[in-house]
Structure formats: C-alpha cells, structure tokens
Amino acid sequence: MNPARAERDLDESIRIHAAPDRVWSLLIDPRTMTQASPELFATTRRRRGPLRAGETFVGWNRNGLALWPTVNTVTAFDIGREIAWHTRSSGAVWTYTLTADADGTVLRERRRLPDGASATARLFARVLLGGIERHTDELSEHVSATLAWIKSAAESAPGDDRPE
C-alpha cells in the first residue's frame, strides 16, 4: 500500500449553469447526497429540513456487500458559499465550496484527511473494501459522479435561474 496515494486529498470542481442559490439549496438538502452519491444511500437525522451548522447526522453507506454507518458533524456552514462535515470514523472532512461566476456557479468538492485515515477506516477498508488505496480510487470516481449529478439537477431546475 502506498499511504500517500491511499490518504491523498480528493479535490474536483465543476462549472454549473445555475445560480449559486440553486446549487446551495441542493447541497443543504440531505436527499441530494443520497441521490447523488454512489455510496451513501440514506441519512438518519434528529430533525427534518435542510442541514444546518453544528448538526450531527448518520450516513448509511454501501459498497458491494459491505454496509456501514458513519457519524458526521457539520463543521462549516457559510450560507451560499460553503458547507463541510467531519466524518468521525474515517477522519475525513468533506467540503463543498460554491463560487459565483459569469456563467453560474463553480462547485468544488474536497475530501481531506487532516490526521490521516483512522485505524478503523484502514482496517475496515482492508477487510471489506479491497484496501484503503482501492477505496480512495473509488471515492475519487464518486466525487466526479456526485458533482455531475448535482450539475444535472441544478441545471434541470424549472425556469432559468442563471445570473444575468
């Protein structure tokens, strides 16, 4: 295993022809990630409605036959600009940043492991996901798929909400 490759940051951006408010509304709707993510299929929360600062939620993930929960806390919430959450079990911080431009919005998704992957994440990946390096490669593909789904959903919204 190559630790640098396995624990590398994931960082990708996509240009969306929709106003930042439209993209933001998708990002704070918990249903978006369950529809957009190839791995996350459900969330459990104490409340309904959009995500909010400081909220903790459980994400339910599936990859092949492996099924597992993650506990996540929203750590950054700058309305219309950025949302991030920390996943306790893996040590990952997932961040979505929106930047308005002349054509709409640039959406950036990042996954960082500030302290490296947790021992739990490394063991789980080795036993059930074919190794952490393989799972990181899959997550990289998932980031692309998630951004593409959000782009499609934002651009197919009724009406034209692109900035003029």
Side-chain angles (χ1 to χ4, degrees):
M1 176 184 83
N2 179 345
R5 181 165 164 68
E7 297 182 13
R8 71 189 184 276
D9 290 348
L10 304 177
D11 191 337
E12 189 170 331
S13 298
I14 196 166
R15 176 163 278 107
I16 300 173
H17 297 286
D21 288 348
R22 171 67 184 142
V23 178
W24 179 253
S25 70
L26 289 167
L27 289 175
I28 63 171
D29 182 345
R31 295 172 298 186
T32 296
M33 286 306 141
T34 61
Q35 294 170 327
S37 172
E39 199 165 85
L40 178 72
F41 68 89
T43 59
T44 303
R45 303 171 59 221
R46 292 189 179 122
R47 59 179 294 278
R48 292 183 181 201
L51 291 170
R52 64 181 180 190
E55 179 175 356
T56 297
F57 64 94
V58 177
W60 295 94
N61 300 278
R62 180 182 305 126
N63 187 314
L65 297 176
L67 176 74
W68 70 98
T70 59
V71 177
N72 308 273
T73 301
V74 177
T75 56
F77 195 87
D78 184 0
I79 296 172
R81 294 185 182 165
E82 180 177 84
I83 185 169
W85 55 84
H86 175 257
T87 303
R88 292 182 201 164
S89 57
S90 67
V93 176
W94 292 89
T95 305
Y96 292 85
T97 306
L98 294 81
T99 306
D101 73 4
D103 294 326
T105 306
V106 175
L107 176 61
R108 178 181 184 194
E109 180 178 0
R110 291 181 300 153
R111 193 268 336 231
R112 295 180 305 109
L113 292 164
D115 299 318
S118 69
T120 301
R122 287 192 303 272
L123 177 62
F124 185 85
R126 184 174 63 234
V127 173
L128 295 171
L129 301 174
I132 195 162
E133 189 172 334
R134 180 173 178 259
H135 189 235
T136 298
D137 290 343
E138 287 178 330
L139 288 175
S140 180
E141 293 172 12
H142 294 176
V143 166
S144 297
T146 297
L147 291 174
W149 190 96
I150 294 169
K151 174 183 174 70
S152 177
E155 291 178 351
S156 65
D160 183 7
D161 62 353
R162 285 178 273 181
E164 303 203 10

